[in-house]
Amino acid sequence: MKNLIKEKVIAVRPFLKWAGGKTQLLNELNNRLPKNIKEDMIIDRYVEPFIGGGAFFFYLKTNFEVKESFLFDINRELIIGFKAIKNNPEELIIKLKKLESKYLKKSEEEREKFYYEMRDEYNEQMSGFDYENYNKEWIQRTTYLIFLNKTCYNGLFRQNQKGEFNVPFGRYKNPTMCEKKNIIEVNKALENTKIYCADFTESEKYIEKGTFVYMDPPYRPISSTSSFTSYVKEDFTDEDQKRLAKFFKEMNKRGAYLMLSNSDPKNKNPDDNFFDKMYSEFSIERVPAKRYINCNASNRGEINELVIRNYK
């Protein structure tokens, strides 16, 4: 089962750059899939309670027959993006092309001014925006979201306590905002998929015996200066991590196949057994990963991440 990912195809990738994304860990995750899934190449039901950028979901949809999927995230802006691509990919592509053309014609000084104007407009649009019922405004908001993601510093999504996007301008020479081919592939991947803006606990309605569940929550900070959990205005605290561990144990009793990833506290403190204690009855493995998103380049080295499973 060595390096299976190299023998497979990644035809679709996340439409946003997402901190904590799993693109670099796909090989490790693939090699730890349940035996019956690797042998049959079929996933009857897939549930992901924290979809984020969706790298693992898109990989699975490319290389396996996934009969039905249920995706969740509490980040409403992210869910708007997924639903806009699922429902109106062509309109989104047209809007992104126009915006990309307009932006690339500007000087760097003009680009920076334009970026902050767009950021202000995006944040102002929150007031009175209908987050409950899908409509044409969701396409425009997704256009803003992708534009900001491709042109902001380090390609981050971060919100302040008011829920406002607050990442500064990034100085990229030739950013691509309209990845037409990938948007079309994302749209195809979202067939037979239900998407929900909800807390991870809501996903339990769709988890039953044999369901494959991958949980990739906002990571627990590995140091006091790397608190990078604010992708939504609500932080994911240690109490939330404990709620998730309880949820994991409850879904284990249902007979679902469970895989969970998180940061390894032992990167910073070898005596920190926070996750080892909470998931002591399950398989806990440490796999190497690179920390790409850090304002200090010297801190972008290799670290361990945890992969926890309830099956061998």
Side-chain angles (χ1 to χ4, degrees):
M1 304 307 293
K2 291 183 180 179
N3 254 358
L4 287 185
I5 194 171
K6 291 184 178 179
E7 301 171 14
K8 296 177 181 176
V9 179
I10 304 178
V12 56
R13 61 186 185 281
F15 62 94
L16 296 173
K17 183 177 180 182
W18 204 254
K22 289 295 160 290
T23 299
Q24 59 165 319
L25 284 181
L26 291 178
N27 192 46
E28 299 288 355
L29 298 178
N30 176 82
N31 289 338
R32 289 167 174 79
L33 287 169
K35 183 180 179 181
N36 65 307
I37 290 177
K38 286 193 284 190
E39 290 178 349
D40 300 338
M41 302 299 289
I42 296 172
I43 302 173
D44 289 321
R45 175 174 289 194
Y46 178 73
V47 175
E48 190 162 344
F50 307 88
I51 186 58
F56 193 40
F57 165 73
F58 292 130
Y59 170 73
L60 293 174
K61 288 287 285 192
T62 300
N63 292 288
F64 296 80
E65 180 187 348
V66 184
K67 294 184 178 179
E68 58 178 351
S69 310
F70 300 87
L71 311 179
F72 295 77
D73 206 284
I74 200 171
N75 188 322
R76 59 187 187 178
E77 307 295 351
L78 180 66
I79 294 302
I80 283 173
F82 271 92
K83 288 191 175 182
I85 293 180
K86 179 178 172 66
N87 294 317
N88 297 93
E90 296 87 359
E91 289 182 56
L92 178 63
I93 288 168
I94 291 170
K95 288 181 179 294
L96 281 170
K97 275 185 177 179
K98 288 181 180 178
L99 190 55
E100 179 178 89
S101 177
K102 184 177 181 180
Y103 181 79
L104 293 178
K105 290 175 182 176
K106 297 180 180 295
S107 66
E108 184 170 323
E109 185 178 339
E110 290 171 332
R111 288 182 181 186
E112 183 170 6
K113 182 175 182 290
F114 184 68
Y115 171 83
Y116 285 111
E117 288 173 351
M118 291 292 288
R119 194 180 77 171
D120 288 344
E121 191 170 340
Y122 180 75
N123 288 330
E124 288 166 4
Q125 191 185 42
M126 281 193 307
S127 177
F129 190 82
D130 185 355
Y131 284 96
E132 299 298 324
N133 304 295
Y134 186 84
N135 59 72
K136 296 291 185 180
E137 288 299 312
W138 286 36
I139 306 168
Q140 185 62 52
R141 190 149 184 83
T142 301
T143 305
Y144 289 163
L145 172 65
I146 293 175
F147 167 79
L148 292 170
N149 182 255
K150 302 297 184 181
T151 57
C152 73
Y153 178 75
N154 250 346
L156 302 177
F157 182 93
R158 186 183 65 200
Q159 294 176 324
N160 60 23
Q161 290 300 311
K162 294 180 182 178
E164 297 172 334
F165 184 83
N166 66 351
V167 184
F169 176 64
R171 302 181 185 280
Y172 303 108
K173 288 185 178 180
N174 193 30
T176 302
M177 295 160 219
C178 184
E179 297 179 313
K180 178 180 177 180
K181 183 178 178 182
N182 192 58
I183 288 174
I184 291 171
E185 292 300 325
V186 169
N187 170 263
K188 291 178 183 177
L190 292 173
E191 292 177 3
N192 303 319
T193 301
K194 300 288 181 65
I195 307 164
Y196 301 96
C197 182
D199 183 73
F200 67 87
T201 53
E202 293 296 312
S203 66
E204 64 92 15
K205 299 172 186 174
Y206 305 96
I207 298 173
E208 55 191 30
K209 184 177 181 179
T211 302
F212 178 49
V213 186
Y214 174 57
M215 307 179 202
D216 184 36
Y219 276 16
R220 186 173 186 249
I222 59 175
S223 73
S224 59
T225 58
S226 65
S227 183
F228 223 83
T229 58
S230 295
Y231 302 114
V232 289
K233 57 189 172 110
E234 306 85 5
D235 285 337
F236 202 80
T237 65
D238 277 0
E239 289 306 309
D240 290 310
Q241 298 287 1
K242 292 173 185 176
R243 279 201 306 129
L244 179 58
K246 181 182 177 183
F247 179 77
F248 190 99
K249 292 170 185 177
E250 289 171 351
M251 296 306 103
N252 174 57
K253 292 176 183 177
R254 293 192 182 184
Y257 296 108
L258 309 176
M259 180 189 290
L260 180 148
S261 53
N262 214 312
S263 58
D264 183 5
K266 292 184 182 293
N267 287 312
K268 185 68 177 179
N269 179 3
D271 298 321
D272 191 334
N273 295 306
F274 182 78
F275 290 115
D276 294 80
K277 287 180 179 178
M278 283 200 302
Y279 294 97
S280 60
E281 63 202 88
F282 304 106
S283 168
I284 302 175
E285 296 177 277
R286 287 171 163 84
V287 299
K290 287 185 172 62
R291 185 197 296 121
Y292 288 116
I293 298 182
N294 192 300
C295 59
N296 185 344
S298 64
N299 289 332
R300 295 177 188 170
E302 194 168 273
I303 59 172
N304 284 331
E305 292 196 4
L306 301 177
V307 177
I308 301 168
R309 295 178 292 162
N310 71 334
Y311 58 89
K312 296 294 184 181

